[in-house]
């Protein structure tokens, strides 16, 4: 690009800026948009008028070289308020799209500014009508923009400086949003929650993907009778990053000023806040964690009576009432449900959400081990604590409220369902009571219930692998002490009960789903950066640290293709569920313009998620700052653990921190919302 050098100013006769021809700069009179306040340095001595005129000049000369002696500074309200550089300074001149950015030269010199308002067009648009010390500007498109600053020297010469500004969607921790930004986010999220696919396309365009659409996608992945394509294996991170990315696109179609902001739930532990007292559960945020009504409906606040849409004409996977829920979750209540007890156990016996300490430990791990942790220990408890599980027989109350692994009952029921032992009605009319539309284990499969002995039930539990998958050592003793036997256990597992939506394969139905996975992506990103800097060893070989004694990590695939009869059973064999292998395709398209309809493999998608990639349209406000960590930094927490010479086995979770106080706690932290 050529630039004009001006010399020999002779008088104050003025000429329009448009009269000076700059290559790639169109007539600015129709394009100039100055936003916010502008600090102007008056240069009357040089003959500038208030109308944005340049003095008459003679002897134009042109030059191609661009000086690098002026540094562009970009700042915004978030950086000023928090004292943290956006995205930890990983990108030079990173700005938040649709938010005011202040641009100025580090020297303090005033300048004329020209900005490439649409990325990669090469067309610079004049955005100031006279030299200014600073410019408040809003970039409205994601991508890399050229910014040109022209400084007039005392001798009348103009020096041009050119910079690249990266405009991205910035995801911010919910507590760090301004009140205005938080309202924008929640109002857009509420619109998303209540808008059907048909209405959403009509209002926001054909590429809009509604809650119905994304929930169906999650159900197809997690509620398939064959196996779970999204959880309990290597593809877990990619699938959840992908669906969150699609969600963000839809949210920004509703309001482009917002983003898929995240919830750093380690802050609750760091602030010594009881989990149920978190700001997250304020009525004007996500609403009560355990509504005080017999149906457990979220009935107050912004998300009161959030609908569970019917999907019978939209999805192949629905419950018997036609609702977009797991088939075995036969609850007919068409609203988002939550309960703070899991099989009679308050918060699944947890006191706090996962801590920074828990996250930092995995910085010593491989990718396979870290994904195992993110699938379970590092976020699974949050799903369980918010969703809950109720509707079990009263005779199990004492056992359920005292054992440490109460969440396993639902997971074992799911495993019996996949194997064909648990069956649900094909359909139930709206006026059918829930009690008459419950899962059962048909007598044609398990035998006559009236004549079944505890030994008969024990044989079924052994043959189905249920007893190998339940790690509660004291369960049988507790059962005996409360007059229960193996027949009672089998009967309860066949009954299933009702989980809250967050603790199911319909987890996206609960709006807390969307900010919940930000920490997972942040941890992986931190580890990739620290590996590149030589700070940690991080083996990124694709894989997963399986423990096949976990109720959700069975390592089995059940083939139903030959089970055409009513009571025919599938063939279940060992294998890796599709969706988790390195070369398996992910079901996401149009994530960004370059992708289009191309499907990415897991390996390709993981490469795309490089936190230093300019192609990613979004970035986090910070990757390194974790409020609850040592010195508010996850690396400092990692160093603290290393200084203690702690030898951490990532398949164990019995270390001496707040959340790992039980030798069996590994087995209660594997669930990731994939039921």
């Amino acid at each position: 690009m050529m630039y004009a050098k001006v010399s020999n100013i002779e008088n104050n006769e003025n000429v329009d800026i448009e009269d000076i021809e700059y290559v790639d700069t169109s007539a600015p009179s129709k394009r100039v948009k100055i936003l916010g306040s502008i600090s102007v340095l008056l240069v009357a001595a040089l003959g500038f008028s208030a109308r944005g005129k340049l003095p008459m000049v003679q002897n134009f000369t042109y030059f191609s070289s661009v000086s690098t002696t002026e540094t562009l500074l970009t700042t915004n309200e978030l950086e000023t308020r928090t004292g943290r550089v956006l995205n930890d300074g990983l990108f030079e001149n990173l700005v938040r799209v649709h938010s005011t950015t202040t641009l100025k030269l580090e020297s303090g010199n005033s300048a004329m500014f020209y900005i490439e308002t649409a990325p990669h067009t090469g067309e610079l648009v004049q955005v100031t009508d006279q030299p200014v010390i600073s410019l408040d500007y809003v970039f409205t498109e994601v991508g890399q923009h050229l910014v040109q600053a022209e400084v007039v020297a005392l001798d009348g010469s103009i020096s041009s400086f050119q910079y690249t500004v990266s405009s991205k969607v910035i995801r911010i921790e919910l507590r760090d949003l301004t009140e205005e930004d938080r309202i924008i986010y929640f109002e857009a999220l509420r619109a998303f929650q209540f808008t059907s696919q048909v209405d959403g396309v009509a209002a926001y365009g054909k590429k809009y993907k509604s809650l119905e659409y994304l929930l169906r996608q999650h159900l197809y992945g997690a509620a398939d009778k064959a196996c779970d394509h999204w959880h309990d294996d290597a593809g877990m991170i990619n699938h959840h990053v992908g669906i969150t990315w699609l969600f963000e696109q839809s949210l920004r179609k509703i309001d482009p000023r917002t983003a898929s902001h995240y919830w750093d739930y380690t802050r609750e532990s760091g602030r010594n806040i009881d989990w149920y007292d978190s700001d997250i559960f304020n009525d004007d945020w996500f609403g009560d964690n355990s509504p005080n009504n017999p149906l457990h409906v979220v009935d107050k606040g912004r998300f009161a009576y959030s609908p569970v849409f019917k999907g019978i004409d939209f999805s192949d996977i629905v419950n018997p009432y036609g609702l977009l829920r797991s088939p075995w979750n036969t609850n007919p209540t068409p609203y988002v449900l939550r309960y703070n007890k899991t099989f009679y156990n308050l918060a699944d016996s947890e006191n706090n959400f996962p801590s920074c300490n828990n996250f930092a430990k995995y910085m010593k791990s491989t990718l396979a081990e870290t994904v195992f942790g993110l699938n379970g220990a590092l976020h699974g408890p949050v799903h369980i604590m918010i969703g809950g599980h109720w509707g079990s027989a009263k005779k199990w109350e004492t056992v359920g409220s005292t054992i440490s692994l109460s969440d396993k009952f639902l997971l074992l029921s799911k495993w019996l369902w996949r194997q064909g032992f648990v069956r649900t009605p094909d359909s139930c009319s709206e006026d059918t009571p829930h009690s008459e539309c419950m899962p059962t284990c048909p007598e044609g499969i398990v035998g006559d219930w009236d004549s079944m002995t505890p030994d008969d039930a024990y044989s079924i539990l052994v043959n189905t692998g249920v007893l190998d998958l339940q790690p509660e050592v004291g369960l049988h003793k507790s059962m005996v002490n409360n007059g229960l036997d193996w027949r009672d256990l089998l009967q309860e597992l066949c009954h299933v009960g009702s989980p809250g939506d967050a603790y199911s394969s319909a987890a996206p139905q609960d709006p807390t789903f969307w900010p919940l996975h930000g920490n997972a992506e942040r941890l992986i990103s931190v580890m990739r950066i620290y590996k590149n800097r030589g700070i940690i060893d991080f083996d990124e070989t694709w894989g997963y640290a399986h423990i096949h004694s976990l109720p959700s990590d069975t390592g089995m695939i059940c083939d139903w293709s030959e089970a055409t009869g009513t009571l025919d059973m599938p063939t279940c064999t060992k294998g890796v569920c599709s969706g988790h292998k390195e070369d398996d395709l992910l079901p996401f398209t149009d994530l960004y313009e370059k992708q289009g309809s191309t499907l990415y493999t897991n390996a390709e998608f993981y490469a795309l998620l490089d936190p230093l990639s300019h192609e990613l349209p979004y970035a986090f406000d910070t990757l390194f700052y974790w409020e609850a960590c040592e010195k508010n930094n996850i690396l400092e927490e990692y160093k603290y653990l290393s200084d203690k010479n702690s030898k951490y086995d990532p398949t164990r979770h019995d270390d001496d921190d707040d959340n790992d106080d039980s030798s069996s706690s590994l087995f209660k932290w594997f669930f990731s919302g994939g039921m």
Side-chain angles (χ1 to χ4, degrees):
M1 185 175 290
M2 306 296 287
Y3 304 95
K5 182 178 181 180
V6 185
S7 59
N8 297 333
I9 301 174
E10 293 186 348
N11 55 48
N12 284 339
E13 184 177 357
N14 296 319
V15 60
D16 282 337
I17 295 173
E18 291 95 322
D19 294 338
I20 302 176
E21 184 176 352
Y22 291 86
V23 177
D24 292 330
T25 302
S26 61
S29 58
K30 296 181 180 180
R31 291 175 167 269
V32 171
K33 185 176 184 182
I34 303 174
L35 302 172
S37 61
I38 299 178
S39 302
V40 181
L41 177 64
L42 297 177
V43 285
L46 295 178
F48 283 90
S49 76
R51 298 193 309 276
K53 305 282 188 173
L54 283 177
M56 177 67 73
V57 295
Q58 296 178 352
N59 302 327
F60 279 89
T61 59
Y62 294 88
F63 61 94
S64 298
S65 62
V66 178
S67 172
T68 59
T69 58
E70 286 278 9
T71 299
L72 179 70
L73 301 180
T74 59
T75 58
N76 60 44
E77 180 278 334
L78 179 66
E79 293 174 313
T80 301
R81 177 165 48 86
T82 64
R84 301 191 297 271
V85 178
L86 206 60
N87 196 233
D88 309 296
L90 295 174
F91 294 90
E92 186 176 12
N93 298 326
L94 177 65
V95 301
R96 180 185 174 196
V97 71
H98 278 286
S99 182
T100 301
T101 296
T102 299
L103 298 94
K104 62 182 179 181
L105 299 179
E106 187 177 35
S107 66
N109 287 333
S110 59
M112 296 284 289
F113 282 95
Y114 302 81
I115 295 178
E116 186 185 34
T117 56
H120 308 301
T121 62
E123 181 179 299
L124 286 169
V125 176
Q126 180 184 333
V127 293
T128 56
D129 60 0
Q130 55 190 322
V132 298
I133 293 176
S134 66
L135 168 69
D136 287 342
Y137 186 80
V138 176
F139 291 86
T140 58
E141 292 192 37
V142 170
Q144 291 185 285
H145 303 255
L146 291 178
V147 172
Q148 180 176 313
E150 294 186 347
V151 179
V152 180
L154 290 176
D155 64 0
S157 63
I158 297 178
S159 297
S160 297
F161 306 92
Q162 200 170 81
Y163 313 92
T164 299
V165 170
S166 294
S167 174
K168 289 178 178 277
V169 178
I170 302 299
R171 299 177 179 178
I172 302 169
E173 209 283 334
L174 292 171
R175 269 75 60 104
D176 290 341
L177 291 168
T178 64
E179 184 64 21
E180 178 184 3
D181 280 338
R182 196 156 39 240
I183 290 172
I184 289 171
Y185 168 76
F186 276 116
E187 287 185 350
L189 180 55
R190 188 183 189 281
F192 173 80
Q193 191 77 15
F194 282 79
T195 302
S196 69
Q197 178 67 18
V198 171
D199 292 343
V201 168
Y204 308 116
K206 63 181 182 179
K207 289 190 175 182
Y208 179 82
K209 294 178 174 60
S210 66
L211 172 60
E212 281 182 293
Y213 181 98
L214 297 181
L215 178 55
R216 178 183 66 177
Q217 203 167 37
H218 195 273
L219 284 168
Y220 283 0
D224 186 359
K225 293 182 76 172
C227 55
D228 192 324
H229 306 278
W230 282 39
H231 306 87
D232 305 299
D233 212 326
M236 178 266 171
I237 288 295
N238 281 352
H239 282 96
H240 288 80
V241 171
I243 196 173
T244 301
W245 194 341
L246 290 179
F247 159 73
E248 183 171 72
Q249 288 184 332
S250 293
L251 202 66
R252 296 189 66 249
K253 289 182 184 299
I254 297 170
D255 193 325
R257 296 173 296 174
T258 194
S260 182
H261 299 307
Y262 67 96
W263 171 22
D264 178 8
Y265 43 81
T266 68
R267 291 190 182 188
E268 275 76 2
S269 294
R271 297 177 181 183
N272 293 316
I273 295 174
D274 290 329
W275 71 274
Y276 43 79
D277 287 332
S278 170
D279 292 336
I280 291 295
F281 303 118
N282 292 344
D283 283 346
D284 58 347
W285 288 36
F286 291 97
D288 198 346
N289 64 82
S290 189
N292 186 24
N293 61 73
L295 294 178
H296 308 290
V297 174
V298 177
D299 60 351
K300 293 187 296 185
R302 191 184 300 272
F303 294 101
Y305 297 103
S306 291
V308 175
F309 291 104
K310 278 190 173 287
I312 196 155
D313 296 323
F314 182 71
S315 173
D316 292 334
I317 298 180
V318 293
N319 81 353
Y321 290 96
L323 298 175
L324 284 168
R325 283 195 170 118
S326 305
W328 45 259
N329 183 5
T330 62
N331 197 307
T333 308
Y335 304 108
V336 172
L337 308 176
R338 296 178 189 154
Y339 188 43
N340 63 8
K341 291 184 178 180
T342 302
F343 201 78
Y344 295 110
N345 198 323
L346 180 64
D348 196 31
S349 75
E350 292 298 336
N351 296 316
N352 295 299
F353 294 133
S355 68
C356 174
N357 183 276
N358 302 136
F359 276 82
K361 286 174 180 174
Y362 277 90
M363 290 177 67
K364 301 180 181 181
S365 305
T366 65
L367 176 62
E369 292 163 344
T370 303
V371 175
F372 167 83
L374 291 171
N375 181 80
L378 300 182
H379 101 285
V382 186
H383 278 286
I384 301 171
M385 295 160 81
I386 293 175
H389 178 205
W390 63 92
S392 304
K394 187 71 174 177
K395 61 185 177 181
W396 283 92
E397 181 172 9
T398 301
V399 174
S401 61
T402 56
I403 62 175
S404 62
L405 299 173
S406 51
D407 55 85
K408 71 178 178 293
F409 282 84
L410 187 61
L411 302 176
L412 292 173
S413 293
K414 177 189 71 172
W415 175 226
L416 287 175
W417 171 76
R418 282 215 162 101
Q419 293 184 86
F421 286 84
V422 171
R423 301 295 177 106
T424 61
D426 291 332
S427 64
C428 296
S429 63
E430 290 187 4
D431 59 355
T432 301
H434 189 200
S435 60
E436 297 177 15
C437 189
M438 295 296 296
T440 60
C441 291
E443 291 187 343
I445 294 175
V446 300
D448 179 57
W449 279 103
D450 291 334
S451 61
M452 182 183 296
T453 66
D455 287 343
D456 295 332
Y458 179 81
S459 296
I460 295 173
L461 294 170
V462 169
N463 292 334
T464 56
V466 165
L467 295 186
D468 291 332
L469 295 172
Q470 75 84 16
E472 180 72 43
V473 176
L475 174 61
H476 186 244
K477 181 179 180 180
S478 182
M479 287 168 50
V480 171
N481 290 342
N482 287 277
L484 301 171
D485 57 33
W486 296 119
R487 182 182 181 279
D488 294 307
L489 177 59
L490 178 61
Q491 196 168 39
E492 187 56 46
L493 294 177
C494 293
H495 173 71
V496 182
S498 294
D501 292 293
Y503 184 23
S504 77
S505 50
Q509 186 68 61
D510 193 307
T512 59
F513 177 89
W514 302 110
L516 181 54
H517 303 96
N519 270 2
E521 186 174 358
R522 290 175 73 219
L523 178 65
I524 293 289
S525 297
V526 163
M527 295 174 71
R528 295 174 80 166
I529 291 169
Y530 286 152
K531 173 189 176 179
N532 290 340
R533 294 180 178 179
I535 295 174
I536 65 171
D537 294 323
F538 181 34
D539 181 354
E540 295 180 83
T541 303
W542 191 259
Y544 189 79
H546 287 283
I547 298 181
H548 289 314
S549 58
L550 301 182
S552 64
D553 188 9
T554 63
M556 302 290 286
I557 301 172
C558 293
D559 181 1
W560 284 81
S561 61
E562 301 298 324
T564 57
T566 303
L567 297 179
D568 286 354
M569 300 290 278
T571 300
C572 298
T573 56
K574 288 286 185 181
V576 177
C577 189
S578 60
H580 294 293
K581 294 186 287 294
E582 189 172 16
D583 57 354
D584 283 347
L585 295 173
L586 297 168
F588 311 117
T589 59
D590 294 312
L591 290 168
Y592 68 121
E593 186 175 354
K594 182 178 178 180
Q595 180 194 9
S597 60
T598 301
L599 293 177
Y600 290 134
T601 65
N602 271 312
E604 291 168 336
F605 190 77
Y606 183 77
L608 178 64
L609 298 182
D610 179 353
L612 300 180
S613 169
H614 283 284
E615 290 190 349
L616 272 183
Y618 65 87
F620 290 92
D621 57 345
T622 177
L623 295 175
F624 304 145
Y625 178 87
W626 295 58
E627 180 189 285
C629 291
E630 183 79 9
K631 299 180 182 179
N632 306 130
N633 188 293
I634 193 167
L635 180 60
E636 294 299 323
E637 186 79 15
Y638 167 73
K639 289 178 179 177
Y640 169 76
L641 293 172
S642 298
D643 289 344
K644 290 174 63 178
N645 295 317
S646 57
K647 294 184 178 180
Y648 178 61
D649 177 358
T651 63
R652 293 180 58 83
H653 298 268
D654 54 359
D655 299 72
D656 57 343
D657 57 72
D658 291 340
N659 283 318
D660 291 329
D661 57 0
S662 167
S663 61
S664 62
S665 60
L666 159 66
F667 298 103
K668 64 188 305 179
W669 279 19
F670 53 83
F671 178 69
S672 63
M675 277 289 294

